[in-house]
Amino acid sequence: MSVFGGIGQPRRDGPFSQTGSSGPREEVRRPARSTQLATGTLACARCDAPVAVGPVPRTLTDELTCPFCDHRGPVRDFLSLAPPTRPARVVVRIALPRRP
């Protein structure tokens, strides 16, 4: 195997070299199960103050209140999925409804 080729000659041991290859490769991808849909930011739609929800999971229809301007509304009004996410980051997950 040669490291240096002559002037104007391509290297034969590069990443696209066909010497020593065992033939075409096939990439197998298995579907991954994940409930994570996106990462977003929770902030007030009026004053853009970050809103903390605590450790309890919330649905998009749960009511939130802004701690600064007292604006009230459903979580979906406070959620922004636009990049870049800011310090009040949340993970948006999909969950099946619980059966009674």
Side-chain angles (χ1 to χ4, degrees):
M1 174 169 18
S2 170
V3 176
F4 298 104
I7 296 175
Q9 295 178 350
R11 287 179 51 179
R12 296 191 177 242
D13 61 341
F16 302 108
S17 172
Q18 293 297 322
T19 59
S21 73
S22 60
R25 294 183 184 178
E26 181 179 335
E27 182 178 342
V28 178
R29 290 189 181 198
R30 293 186 175 90
R33 294 181 183 250
S34 174
T35 58
Q36 184 172 340
L37 180 65
T39 302
T41 302
L42 272 184
C44 180
R46 288 190 183 164
C47 68
D48 202 35
V51 178
V53 293
V56 180
R58 306 285 179 146
T59 65
L60 292 176
T61 56
D62 287 346
E63 180 126 344
L64 281 182
T65 303
C66 175
F68 295 102
C69 71
D70 213 25
H71 170 68
R72 294 176 187 258
V75 171
R76 68 176 167 263
D77 290 350
F78 289 80
L79 180 64
S80 170
L81 300 177
T85 57
R86 295 181 303 238
R89 244 177 244 119
V90 292
V91 175
V92 180
R93 296 186 185 275
I94 299 174
L96 295 173
R98 295 183 183 200
R99 294 183 183 176

